Coordinates of all heavy atoms in Angstrom, one line a residue:
M1 N 14.5 -15.0 25.5 CA 14.8 -14.0 24.5 C 14.3 -14.5 23.1 O 14.6 -15.5 22.7 CB 16.3 -13.7 24.5 CG 16.6 -12.6 23.5 SD 18.3 -12.0 23.9 CE 19.1 -12.3 22.4
S2 N 13.5 -13.6 22.5 CA 13.0 -14.0 21.1 C 13.9 -13.4 20.1 O 14.5 -12.4 20.3 CB 11.6 -13.6 20.9 OG 11.5 -12.2 21.0
T3 N 14.0 -14.1 18.9 CA 14.7 -13.5 17.8 C 13.8 -13.4 16.6 O 12.8 -14.2 16.5 CB 15.9 -14.4 17.4 OG1 15.4 -15.7 17.1 CG2 16.9 -14.5 18.6
H4 N 14.1 -12.5 15.8 CA 13.3 -12.3 14.5 C 14.2 -12.4 13.3 O 15.3 -11.8 13.3 CB 12.7 -10.9 14.5 CG 11.7 -10.7 15.7 ND1 10.4 -11.2 15.6 CD2 11.9 -10.0 16.8 CE1 9.9 -10.8 16.8 NE2 10.7 -10.1 17.5
R5 N 13.8 -13.2 12.4 CA 14.6 -13.3 11.1 C 14.1 -12.2 10.2 O 13.0 -11.9 10.0 CB 14.2 -14.6 10.4 CG 15.0 -14.8 9.2 CD 14.7 -16.2 8.5 NE 13.4 -16.2 8.0 CZ 13.1 -15.6 6.8 NH1 14.0 -15.0 6.1 NH2 11.8 -15.7 6.3
V6 N 15.1 -11.4 9.8 CA 14.8 -10.3 8.9 C 14.8 -10.8 7.4 O 15.7 -11.5 7.0 CB 15.9 -9.2 9.0 CG1 15.6 -8.1 8.0 CG2 15.9 -8.7 10.5
A7 N 13.7 -10.5 6.7 CA 13.6 -11.0 5.3 C 14.6 -10.3 4.4 O 15.0 -9.2 4.7 CB 12.2 -10.7 4.9
E8 N 14.9 -10.9 3.3 CA 15.8 -10.3 2.4 C 15.1 -9.1 1.7 O 13.9 -9.2 1.5 CB 16.1 -11.3 1.3 CG 17.0 -12.5 1.8 CD 18.3 -12.1 2.3 OE1 19.0 -11.2 1.7 OE2 18.7 -12.7 3.3
G9 N 15.8 -8.0 1.5 CA 15.2 -6.9 0.9 C 14.4 -6.1 1.8 O 14.3 -6.4 3.0
G10 N 13.7 -5.1 1.4 CA 12.8 -4.3 2.2 C 13.4 -3.5 3.3 O 12.8 -3.0 4.2
G11 N 14.8 -3.3 3.2 CA 15.4 -2.5 4.2 C 15.3 -3.1 5.6 O 15.2 -2.3 6.6
G12 N 15.2 -4.4 5.8 CA 15.0 -5.0 7.1 C 13.6 -5.2 7.5 O 13.3 -5.6 8.6
S13 N 12.7 -4.9 6.6 CA 11.3 -5.1 6.9 C 10.9 -6.6 6.9 O 11.5 -7.3 6.2 CB 10.4 -4.4 5.8 OG 10.6 -3.0 5.9
L14 N 10.0 -6.9 7.7 CA 9.5 -8.3 7.8 C 8.2 -8.5 7.1 O 7.8 -9.6 6.7 CB 9.3 -8.7 9.3 CG 10.5 -8.8 10.1 CD1 10.1 -9.0 11.6 CD2 11.4 -10.0 9.6
L15 N 7.5 -7.4 6.9 CA 6.1 -7.5 6.4 C 5.8 -6.3 5.4 O 6.3 -5.2 5.7 CB 5.1 -7.4 7.6 CG 3.7 -7.3 7.3 CD1 3.1 -8.7 6.8 CD2 2.9 -7.0 8.6
T16 N 5.1 -6.6 4.3 CA 4.7 -5.5 3.4 C 3.2 -5.3 3.6 O 2.4 -6.2 3.5 CB 5.0 -5.8 2.0 OG1 6.4 -6.0 1.8 CG2 4.5 -4.7 1.1
L17 N 2.8 -4.1 3.9 CA 1.4 -3.7 4.0 C 1.0 -3.1 2.7 O 1.6 -2.2 2.2 CB 1.2 -2.6 5.1 CG 1.7 -2.9 6.5 CD1 1.5 -1.7 7.4 CD2 1.0 -4.2 7.0
V18 N 0.0 -3.8 2.0 CA -0.4 -3.4 0.7 C -1.8 -2.8 0.8 O -2.7 -3.5 1.3 CB -0.4 -4.6 -0.3 CG1 -1.0 -4.2 -1.7 CG2 1.0 -5.2 -0.4
T19 N -2.0 -1.6 0.4 CA -3.4 -1.0 0.4 C -3.7 -0.5 -1.0 O -2.8 -0.1 -1.7 CB -3.5 0.1 1.4 OG1 -4.8 0.5 1.6 CG2 -2.6 1.3 1.1
T20 N -4.9 -0.6 -1.4 CA -5.4 -0.2 -2.7 C -6.3 1.0 -2.5 O -7.0 1.2 -1.5 CB -6.1 -1.3 -3.4 OG1 -7.3 -1.6 -2.7 CG2 -5.2 -2.5 -3.6
C21 N -6.4 1.9 -3.5 CA -7.2 3.1 -3.4 C -7.8 3.5 -4.8 O -7.0 3.6 -5.8 CB -6.3 4.2 -2.9 SG -7.3 5.7 -2.5
K22 N -9.1 3.6 -4.8 CA -9.8 4.1 -6.0 C -10.8 5.1 -5.4 O -11.9 4.6 -4.9 CB -10.4 3.1 -6.9 CG -11.1 3.7 -8.1 CD -11.5 2.7 -9.1 CE -12.2 3.4 -10.3 NZ -11.4 3.6 -11.4
N23 N -10.5 6.3 -5.5 CA -11.5 7.4 -5.0 C -11.8 7.2 -3.5 O -12.9 7.5 -3.1 CB -12.7 7.4 -5.9 CG -12.4 7.7 -7.3 OD1 -11.4 8.5 -7.6 ND2 -13.1 7.2 -8.3
R24 N -10.8 6.9 -2.7 CA -10.9 6.8 -1.3 C -9.8 7.5 -0.6 O -9.3 7.2 0.4 CB -10.9 5.3 -0.8 CG -12.0 4.5 -1.3 CD -13.3 4.7 -0.5 NE -14.3 3.8 -0.8 CZ -15.3 3.9 -1.7 NH1 -15.3 5.0 -2.5 NH2 -16.2 3.0 -1.9
L25 N -9.3 8.6 -1.3 CA -8.2 9.3 -0.8 C -8.4 9.8 0.6 O -7.5 9.8 1.5 CB -7.8 10.5 -1.7 CG -6.6 11.3 -1.3 CD1 -5.3 10.5 -1.1 CD2 -6.3 12.5 -2.3
H26 N -9.6 10.3 0.9 CA -9.9 10.8 2.3 C -9.7 9.8 3.3 O -9.2 10.1 4.4 CB -11.3 11.4 2.3 CG -12.4 10.4 2.0 ND1 -12.6 10.0 0.7 CD2 -13.3 9.8 2.8 CE1 -13.7 9.1 0.8 NE2 -14.1 9.0 2.0
H27 N -9.9 8.5 3.0 CA -9.7 7.4 4.0 C -8.2 7.2 4.1 O -7.6 7.0 5.1 CB -10.4 6.1 3.5 CG -11.8 6.2 3.6 ND1 -12.5 6.4 4.8 CD2 -12.8 6.0 2.7 CE1 -13.8 6.3 4.6 NE2 -14.0 6.1 3.3
L28 N -7.5 7.1 2.9 CA -6.1 6.8 2.9 C -5.3 7.9 3.7 O -4.3 7.6 4.3 CB -5.6 6.7 1.4 CG -4.1 6.3 1.3 CD1 -4.0 4.8 1.7 CD2 -3.7 6.4 -0.2
Q29 N -5.7 9.1 3.6 CA -5.0 10.2 4.3 C -5.1 10.0 5.8 O -4.2 10.4 6.5 CB -5.7 11.6 4.0 CG -5.4 12.0 2.5 CD -6.2 13.2 2.1 OE1 -7.3 13.4 2.5 NE2 -5.6 14.0 1.2
R30 N -6.0 9.3 6.3 CA -6.1 9.0 7.7 C -5.4 7.7 8.1 O -4.8 7.5 9.1 CB -7.6 8.9 8.2 CG -8.3 10.2 8.0 CD -9.7 10.2 8.5 NE -9.7 10.0 10.0 CZ -10.7 9.7 10.7 NH1 -11.9 9.5 10.1 NH2 -10.6 9.5 12.0
T31 N -5.5 6.7 7.2 CA -4.9 5.3 7.6 C -3.5 5.2 7.2 O -2.8 4.4 7.9 CB -5.8 4.2 6.9 OG1 -5.8 4.4 5.5 CG2 -7.2 4.2 7.4
L32 N -3.0 5.8 6.1 CA -1.6 5.6 5.7 C -0.6 6.0 6.8 O 0.3 5.3 7.1 CB -1.3 6.4 4.4 CG 0.1 6.2 3.8 CD1 0.4 4.7 3.6 CD2 0.2 7.0 2.5
P33 N -0.8 7.2 7.5 CA 0.2 7.5 8.6 C 0.2 6.4 9.7 O 1.2 6.1 10.3 CB -0.4 8.8 9.1 CG -1.1 9.4 8.0 CD -1.7 8.3 7.3
L34 N -0.9 5.8 9.9 CA -1.0 4.7 10.9 C -0.2 3.5 10.5 O 0.5 2.8 11.2 CB -2.4 4.3 11.3 CG -3.3 5.4 11.8 CD1 -4.7 5.0 11.9 CD2 -2.8 5.8 13.2
M35 N -0.3 3.2 9.2 CA 0.4 2.0 8.6 C 1.9 2.3 8.7 O 2.7 1.4 9.0 CB 0.0 1.8 7.1 CG -1.3 1.3 6.9 SD -1.6 1.1 5.2 CE -3.3 1.7 5.0
L36 N 2.3 3.5 8.5 CA 3.7 3.9 8.5 C 4.3 3.8 9.9 O 5.5 3.7 10.1 CB 3.9 5.3 7.9 CG 3.7 5.3 6.4 CD1 3.7 6.8 5.9 CD2 4.7 4.5 5.6
E37 N 3.5 3.9 10.9 CA 4.0 3.8 12.3 C 4.4 2.3 12.7 O 5.0 2.1 13.7 CB 2.9 4.3 13.3 CG 2.7 5.7 13.2 CD 1.6 6.2 14.2 OE1 1.1 5.4 15.0 OE2 1.2 7.4 14.1
Q38 N 3.9 1.4 11.9 CA 4.2 0.0 12.2 C 5.7 -0.3 12.0 O 6.2 -0.1 10.9 CB 3.3 -1.0 11.3 CG 1.9 -0.7 11.4 CD 1.4 -0.6 12.9 OE1 1.6 -1.5 13.6 NE2 0.7 0.5 13.2
S39 N 6.3 -0.8 13.0 CA 7.8 -1.1 12.8 C 7.9 -2.5 12.0 O 7.0 -3.3 12.0 CB 8.4 -1.3 14.2 OG 7.8 -2.3 14.9
F40 N 9.1 -2.6 11.4 CA 9.4 -3.8 10.7 C 8.5 -4.1 9.5 O 8.2 -5.2 9.1 CB 9.5 -5.1 11.5 CG 10.5 -5.0 12.6 CD1 10.1 -4.8 13.9 CD2 11.8 -5.0 12.3 CE1 11.0 -4.8 14.9 CE2 12.8 -4.9 13.3 CZ 12.4 -4.8 14.6
S41 N 7.9 -3.0 8.9 CA 7.1 -3.1 7.7 C 7.4 -2.1 6.7 O 7.9 -1.0 7.0 CB 5.6 -3.1 8.1 OG 5.3 -1.8 8.6
E42 N 7.1 -2.4 5.5 CA 7.1 -1.5 4.4 C 5.7 -1.3 3.9 O 4.8 -2.1 4.2 CB 8.0 -1.9 3.2 CG 7.5 -3.1 2.5 CD 8.3 -3.4 1.2 OE1 9.0 -2.6 0.7 OE2 8.1 -4.5 0.7
V43 N 5.4 -0.2 3.2 CA 4.0 0.0 2.7 C 4.0 0.2 1.2 O 4.9 1.0 0.7 CB 3.4 1.3 3.4 CG1 2.0 1.6 2.9 CG2 3.4 1.1 4.9
V44 N 3.1 -0.4 0.5 CA 2.9 -0.2 -0.9 C 1.4 0.3 -1.1 O 0.5 -0.4 -0.6 CB 3.1 -1.5 -1.7 CG1 2.7 -1.3 -3.1 CG2 4.5 -2.0 -1.5
V45 N 1.2 1.3 -1.8 CA -0.1 1.8 -2.1 C -0.3 1.6 -3.6 O 0.6 1.9 -4.4 CB -0.2 3.4 -1.8 CG1 -1.5 3.9 -2.3 CG2 -0.1 3.6 -0.3
V46 N -1.5 1.1 -4.0 CA -1.8 0.9 -5.4 C -2.9 1.9 -5.7 O -4.0 1.8 -5.2 CB -2.3 -0.5 -5.7 CG1 -2.7 -0.7 -7.1 CG2 -1.3 -1.5 -5.3
D47 N -2.6 2.9 -6.5 CA -3.5 3.9 -7.0 C -4.2 3.3 -8.2 O -3.6 3.3 -9.3 CB -2.8 5.2 -7.3 CG -3.7 6.2 -8.0 OD1 -4.8 5.9 -8.4 OD2 -3.2 7.4 -8.2
Y48 N -5.4 2.8 -8.1 CA -6.1 2.1 -9.1 C -7.0 3.1 -9.9 O -8.3 3.1 -9.7 CB -6.9 0.9 -8.6 CG -7.1 -0.2 -9.6 CD1 -6.3 -1.3 -9.7 CD2 -8.2 -0.1 -10.5 CE1 -6.5 -2.3 -10.6 CE2 -8.4 -1.1 -11.4 CZ -7.6 -2.2 -11.5 OH -7.8 -3.2 -12.4
G49 N -6.5 3.9 -10.7 CA -7.3 4.9 -11.5 C -8.0 5.9 -10.6 O -9.1 6.3 -11.0
C50 N -7.5 6.2 -9.5 CA -8.1 7.2 -8.6 C -8.2 8.6 -9.2 O -7.1 9.1 -9.7 CB -7.4 7.2 -7.3 SG -8.2 8.3 -6.0
D51 N -9.3 9.2 -9.3 CA -9.5 10.5 -9.8 C -9.1 11.6 -8.8 O -9.2 12.8 -9.2 CB -11.0 10.7 -10.2 CG -11.4 9.8 -11.3 OD1 -10.6 9.4 -12.2 OD2 -12.6 9.4 -11.3
Q52 N -8.7 11.2 -7.6 CA -8.5 12.2 -6.6 C -7.0 12.5 -6.4 O -6.6 13.2 -5.4 CB -9.1 11.7 -5.3 CG -10.6 11.5 -5.4 CD -11.2 10.8 -4.2 OE1 -10.5 10.0 -3.5 NE2 -12.4 11.2 -3.9
G53 N -6.1 12.0 -7.2 CA -4.7 12.3 -7.1 C -4.0 11.6 -6.1 O -3.1 12.1 -5.4
T54 N -4.3 10.3 -5.9 CA -3.7 9.5 -4.8 C -2.2 9.4 -5.0 O -1.5 9.7 -4.0 CB -4.3 8.1 -4.8 OG1 -5.7 8.2 -4.4 CG2 -3.6 7.2 -3.8
S55 N -1.7 9.1 -6.2 CA -0.3 9.0 -6.4 C 0.5 10.2 -6.0 O 1.5 10.2 -5.4 CB 0.0 8.6 -7.8 OG -0.4 7.3 -8.1
E56 N -0.1 11.3 -6.5 CA 0.5 12.6 -6.2 C 0.6 13.0 -4.7 O 1.6 13.4 -4.2 CB -0.2 13.7 -7.0 CG 0.0 13.6 -8.5 CD -1.0 12.6 -9.1 OE1 -1.9 12.1 -8.5 OE2 -0.8 12.3 -10.3
W57 N -0.5 12.7 -4.0 CA -0.6 12.9 -2.6 C 0.4 12.1 -1.9 O 1.1 12.6 -1.0 CB -2.0 12.7 -2.1 CG -2.1 13.0 -0.6 CD1 -2.2 14.3 0.0 CD2 -1.9 12.1 0.5 NE1 -2.2 14.1 1.4 CE2 -2.0 12.8 1.7 CE3 -1.7 10.7 0.5 CZ2 -1.9 12.2 2.9 CZ3 -1.6 10.1 1.8 CH2 -1.7 10.9 3.0
V58 N 0.5 10.8 -2.2 CA 1.4 9.9 -1.5 C 2.8 10.3 -1.7 O 3.6 10.4 -0.8 CB 1.2 8.4 -2.0 CG1 2.3 7.5 -1.5 CG2 -0.2 7.9 -1.5
S59 N 3.2 10.6 -3.0 CA 4.6 11.0 -3.2 C 4.9 12.3 -2.6 O 6.1 12.5 -2.2 CB 4.9 11.0 -4.7 OG 4.1 12.0 -5.4
S60 N 4.0 13.3 -2.5 CA 4.3 14.6 -1.9 C 4.3 14.5 -0.4 O 5.0 15.3 0.3 CB 3.4 15.7 -2.4 OG 2.1 15.5 -1.9
H61 N 3.5 13.6 0.2 CA 3.5 13.6 1.7 C 4.2 12.4 2.3 O 4.6 12.5 3.5 CB 2.0 13.5 2.1 CG 1.2 14.8 1.9 ND1 0.7 15.1 0.7 CD2 1.0 15.8 2.7 CE1 0.1 16.3 0.8 NE2 0.3 16.7 2.0
H62 N 4.4 11.4 1.6 CA 5.1 10.2 2.1 C 6.0 9.6 1.0 O 5.7 8.5 0.5 CB 4.1 9.1 2.6 CG 3.1 9.7 3.6 ND1 3.5 9.9 4.9 CD2 1.8 10.1 3.5 CE1 2.5 10.3 5.6 NE2 1.5 10.5 4.8
G63 N 7.0 10.3 0.7 CA 7.9 10.0 -0.4 C 8.6 8.6 -0.3 O 9.0 8.1 -1.4
D64 N 8.6 8.1 0.9 CA 9.3 6.8 1.0 C 8.3 5.6 0.8 O 8.8 4.4 0.8 CB 9.9 6.6 2.4 CG 8.9 6.9 3.5 OD1 7.9 7.6 3.3 OD2 9.1 6.4 4.7
V65 N 7.1 5.9 0.5 CA 6.1 4.8 0.2 C 6.1 4.5 -1.2 O 6.1 5.4 -2.1 CB 4.7 5.3 0.7 CG1 3.6 4.3 0.2 CG2 4.6 5.5 2.2
K66 N 6.1 3.2 -1.6 CA 6.0 2.8 -3.0 C 4.6 3.0 -3.4 O 3.7 2.5 -2.7 CB 6.4 1.3 -3.1 CG 7.8 1.0 -2.9 CD 8.1 -0.5 -3.0 CE 9.5 -0.8 -2.6 NZ 9.7 -2.3 -2.6
C67 N 4.4 3.6 -4.5 CA 3.1 3.8 -5.1 C 3.0 3.3 -6.5 O 3.8 3.8 -7.3 CB 2.7 5.3 -5.0 SG 0.9 5.6 -5.3
M68 N 2.2 2.3 -6.7 CA 2.0 1.7 -8.0 C 0.7 2.4 -8.6 O -0.3 2.5 -7.9 CB 1.8 0.2 -7.9 CG 2.8 -0.5 -7.1 SD 4.5 -0.4 -7.8 CE 4.3 -1.5 -9.2
R69 N 0.7 2.7 -9.9 CA -0.4 3.3 -10.6 C -1.0 2.4 -11.6 O -0.3 1.8 -12.4 CB 0.0 4.6 -11.3 CG 0.3 5.7 -10.3 CD 0.5 7.0 -11.1 NE -0.8 7.5 -11.5 CZ -1.0 8.7 -12.0 NH1 0.0 9.5 -12.2 NH2 -2.2 9.1 -12.3
V70 N -2.3 2.3 -11.6 CA -3.0 1.5 -12.7 C -3.8 2.5 -13.5 O -4.7 3.2 -12.9 CB -3.9 0.4 -12.0 CG1 -4.7 -0.3 -13.1 CG2 -3.1 -0.5 -11.2
T71 N -3.6 2.6 -14.8 CA -4.2 3.6 -15.6 C -5.0 2.9 -16.8 O -5.6 3.6 -17.6 CB -3.2 4.6 -16.2 OG1 -2.2 3.9 -16.9 CG2 -2.6 5.4 -15.0
D72 N -4.9 1.6 -16.9 CA -5.5 0.9 -18.0 C -6.8 0.2 -17.8 O -7.2 -0.6 -18.6 CB -4.4 -0.1 -18.6 CG -4.1 -1.2 -17.6 OD1 -4.5 -1.1 -16.4 OD2 -3.5 -2.2 -18.1
D73 N -7.4 0.5 -16.7 CA -8.7 -0.3 -16.3 C -9.7 0.7 -15.6 O -9.4 1.1 -14.5 CB -8.3 -1.4 -15.4 CG -9.5 -2.3 -15.1 OD1 -10.6 -2.1 -15.6 OD2 -9.3 -3.4 -14.4
P74 N -10.7 1.1 -16.3 CA -11.7 2.0 -15.7 C -12.5 1.4 -14.5 O -13.0 2.1 -13.7 CB -12.6 2.4 -16.9 CG -12.5 1.2 -17.8 CD -11.1 0.7 -17.7
R75 N -12.6 0.1 -14.5 CA -13.3 -0.6 -13.4 C -12.3 -1.1 -12.3 O -11.2 -1.5 -12.7 CB -14.1 -1.8 -13.9 CG -15.1 -1.4 -15.0 CD -15.7 -2.6 -15.5 NE -17.2 -2.4 -15.3 CZ -18.0 -3.4 -15.2 NH1 -17.6 -4.6 -15.4 NH2 -19.3 -3.1 -15.0
F76 N -12.7 -1.0 -11.1 CA -11.8 -1.5 -10.0 C -11.8 -3.0 -9.9 O -12.9 -3.6 -9.9 CB -12.3 -0.8 -8.7 CG -11.4 -1.2 -7.5 CD1 -10.1 -0.7 -7.4 CD2 -11.9 -2.1 -6.6 CE1 -9.3 -1.0 -6.4 CE2 -11.1 -2.4 -5.5 CZ -9.8 -1.9 -5.4
S77 N -10.6 -3.6 -9.8 CA -10.5 -5.0 -9.6 C -9.6 -5.2 -8.4 O -8.4 -5.0 -8.5 CB -9.9 -5.7 -10.8 OG -9.5 -7.0 -10.5
L78 N -10.2 -5.6 -7.3 CA -9.5 -5.7 -6.0 C -8.4 -6.8 -6.1 O -7.2 -6.5 -5.7 CB -10.4 -6.1 -4.9 CG -9.7 -6.2 -3.5 CD1 -9.0 -5.0 -3.1 CD2 -10.8 -6.7 -2.5
S79 N -8.7 -7.9 -6.7 CA -7.7 -8.9 -6.9 C -6.5 -8.5 -7.7 O -5.3 -8.7 -7.4 CB -8.3 -10.2 -7.4 OG -8.9 -10.0 -8.7
R80 N -6.8 -7.8 -8.8 CA -5.7 -7.3 -9.7 C -4.9 -6.2 -8.9 O -3.6 -6.2 -9.0 CB -6.2 -6.7 -11.0 CG -5.1 -6.2 -11.9 CD -5.6 -5.8 -13.2 NE -4.5 -5.4 -14.1 CZ -4.5 -4.3 -14.8 NH1 -5.5 -3.5 -14.8 NH2 -3.4 -4.0 -15.5
A81 N -5.5 -5.3 -8.2 CA -4.8 -4.3 -7.5 C -3.9 -4.9 -6.4 O -2.8 -4.5 -6.3 CB -5.9 -3.4 -6.8
R82 N -4.4 -5.9 -5.7 CA -3.6 -6.5 -4.7 C -2.4 -7.3 -5.3 O -1.3 -7.2 -4.8 CB -4.4 -7.5 -3.9 CG -5.3 -6.8 -2.9 CD -6.2 -7.7 -2.1 NE -6.9 -7.0 -1.1 CZ -7.8 -7.5 -0.3 NH1 -8.1 -8.8 -0.3 NH2 -8.4 -6.8 0.6
N83 N -2.6 -7.9 -6.5 CA -1.5 -8.6 -7.1 C -0.4 -7.6 -7.6 O 0.8 -7.9 -7.5 CB -2.0 -9.4 -8.3 CG -2.7 -10.7 -7.9 OD1 -2.4 -11.3 -6.8 ND2 -3.6 -11.2 -8.6
I84 N -0.9 -6.5 -8.1 CA 0.1 -5.4 -8.5 C 0.9 -5.0 -7.3 O 2.1 -4.8 -7.4 CB -0.6 -4.3 -9.2 CG1 -1.1 -4.8 -10.6 CG2 0.3 -3.1 -9.3 CD1 -2.1 -3.8 -11.3
G85 N 0.2 -4.7 -6.2 CA 0.9 -4.3 -5.0 C 1.9 -5.4 -4.5 O 3.0 -5.1 -4.0
A86 N 1.5 -6.6 -4.6 CA 2.3 -7.7 -4.1 C 3.6 -7.8 -5.0 O 4.7 -8.2 -4.4 CB 1.6 -9.1 -4.2
T87 N 3.5 -7.5 -6.2 CA 4.7 -7.5 -7.1 C 5.8 -6.5 -6.7 O 7.0 -6.7 -6.9 CB 4.4 -7.3 -8.6 OG1 3.9 -6.0 -8.8 CG2 3.5 -8.4 -9.1
A88 N 5.3 -5.4 -6.0 CA 6.3 -4.4 -5.6 C 6.9 -4.7 -4.2 O 7.8 -4.0 -3.7 CB 5.6 -3.1 -5.5
A89 N 6.3 -5.7 -3.5 CA 6.8 -6.0 -2.2 C 8.2 -6.6 -2.1 O 8.6 -7.3 -3.0 CB 5.8 -7.1 -1.5
Q90 N 8.9 -6.2 -1.1 CA 10.3 -6.6 -0.9 C 10.4 -7.7 0.2 O 11.5 -8.0 0.6 CB 11.2 -5.4 -0.6 CG 11.3 -4.4 -1.7 CD 12.1 -4.9 -2.9 OE1 13.2 -5.5 -2.8 NE2 11.5 -4.8 -4.1
T91 N 9.3 -8.1 0.8 CA 9.3 -9.0 1.9 C 8.7 -10.3 1.5 O 7.9 -10.4 0.5 CB 8.6 -8.4 3.1 OG1 7.3 -8.2 2.8 CG2 9.3 -7.0 3.5
E92 N 8.9 -11.2 2.4 CA 8.3 -12.6 2.2 C 6.8 -12.6 2.6 O 6.0 -13.4 2.0 CB 9.1 -13.6 3.1 CG 8.6 -15.0 2.9 CD 9.5 -16.0 3.7 OE1 10.4 -15.5 4.4 OE2 9.2 -17.2 3.7
Y93 N 6.4 -11.7 3.5 CA 5.1 -11.8 4.1 C 4.3 -10.5 3.7 O 4.8 -9.4 3.7 CB 5.1 -11.9 5.6 CG 5.8 -13.1 6.0 CD1 7.0 -13.1 6.6 CD2 5.1 -14.4 5.9 CE1 7.7 -14.2 7.0 CE2 5.8 -15.5 6.3 CZ 7.0 -15.4 6.9 OH 7.7 -16.6 7.2
L94 N 3.0 -10.7 3.3 CA 2.2 -9.6 2.9 C 0.9 -9.5 3.8 O 0.4 -10.5 4.3 CB 1.7 -9.8 1.5 CG 2.7 -10.1 0.4 CD1 2.0 -10.5 -0.9 CD2 3.6 -8.9 0.2
C95 N 0.5 -8.3 3.9 CA -0.8 -8.0 4.7 C -1.6 -7.0 3.8 O -1.1 -5.9 3.5 CB -0.5 -7.4 6.0 SG -2.0 -7.0 7.0
F96 N -2.7 -7.4 3.4 CA -3.6 -6.6 2.5 C -4.6 -5.8 3.4 O -5.3 -6.4 4.2 CB -4.3 -7.4 1.5 CG -3.4 -8.1 0.5 CD1 -3.2 -9.5 0.7 CD2 -2.8 -7.4 -0.5 CE1 -2.4 -10.1 -0.2 CE2 -1.9 -8.1 -1.3 CZ -1.7 -9.4 -1.2
I97 N -4.5 -4.5 3.2 CA -5.4 -3.6 4.1 C -6.2 -2.7 3.2 O -5.7 -2.1 2.3 CB -4.5 -2.7 5.0 CG1 -3.6 -3.6 5.9 CG2 -5.3 -1.8 5.9 CD1 -2.6 -2.9 6.7
D98 N -7.5 -2.6 3.5 CA -8.3 -1.6 2.8 C -7.9 -0.2 3.2 O -7.6 0.0 4.3 CB -9.8 -1.9 3.0 CG -10.3 -3.2 2.5 OD1 -9.6 -3.7 1.5 OD2 -11.3 -3.8 3.0
A99 N -8.1 0.7 2.2 CA -7.8 2.1 2.5 C -8.6 2.7 3.6 O -8.2 3.6 4.3 CB -7.9 3.0 1.3
D100 N -9.8 2.2 3.8 CA -10.7 2.7 4.9 C -10.7 1.9 6.1 O -11.4 2.0 7.0 CB -12.1 2.8 4.3 CG -12.7 1.5 3.8 OD1 -12.0 0.5 3.8 OD2 -13.9 1.5 3.5

């Protein structure tokens, strides 16, 4: 019999899935539901200046998903976006996933 240690915070989640989005909402609309199906995980979306209303779509369709917004940088920085997502994580382990 195997046992799993549940990380502190995250509502019993073991893993945080962090995905970033800048003008890739059509991809996120397909992949986010799949991420949410993963048991023992929480999901954080980083809307990095997306012109397609990513934050609004996430909050209206998946209100339990944490969505971080970046509005102070016109250029996309993957490392910065991932670091912002990581700061919102409630688990010890992170998995970075592209929106597509």
